[in-house]
Amino acid sequence: LERALVPDKSHFGPLPKPESIDDWLAQYVEEGQTVTQFVTHSPWLSSRPRKGIGRESFVPTGRAMPEKYPNHKIFLVQLGDFPSGCPLRVEALRQYVEAFWQLPCRLLPPIHVRPPPKQNVAPRADDSTNPCMT
């Protein structure tokens, strides 16, 4: 695993020019960065503490998330209701997030969202109204 996290220039070439006006780099002019720069400045990967990420302890010598942020938790909240037949299971998502980040993950009570009044809006290209299909 450690070798997988060591930057290797042969794996990371320059980004291609944007192909669509909707591509991120077509909309925002940003200076590029190397993998080493990204790892150094990423609050989740670097050994530098970051303001605003949490008030709990930060361990700069930690090699993984639970070692760097030993008292942190991830919270998930469901916004709105999923349509019947939607395959998304919030508990399965919580388990995945907890396993991936190796930090405790808790579900907060769902927030019920009232849809806005219907307006004359053009239908989507695929005519889908199911959020599980997006």
Side-chain angles (χ1 to χ4, degrees), residues 5 37-60 62-70 72-74 100-101 103:
L5 298 176
Q37 289 170 326
F38 171 74
V39 170
T40 301
H41 293 93
S42 169
W44 308 115
L45 302 174
S46 78
S47 60
R48 296 174 18 197
R50 297 292 185 165
K51 291 181 180 179
I53 289 190
R55 296 182 183 170
E56 292 88 5
S57 60
F58 172 77
V59 181
R63 295 176 54 126
M65 289 292 286
E67 294 171 3
K68 288 184 181 193
Y69 298 95
H72 284 225
K73 295 176 185 69
I74 298 172
F100 184 85
W101 290 109
L103 289 172

Side-chain angles (χ1 to χ4, degrees), residues 69-83:
Y69 298 95
N71 301 318
H72 284 225
K73 295 176 185 69
I74 298 172
F75 294 93
L76 298 177
V77 63
Q78 176 181 328
L79 299 176
D81 296 318
F82 296 120

Side-chain angles (χ1 to χ4, degrees), residues 81-87 124 126-134:
D81 296 318
F82 296 120
S84 61
C86 179
R124 294 172 46 171
D126 63 0
D127 199 33
S128 171
T129 57
N130 185 346
C132 290
M133 301 294 288
T134 58

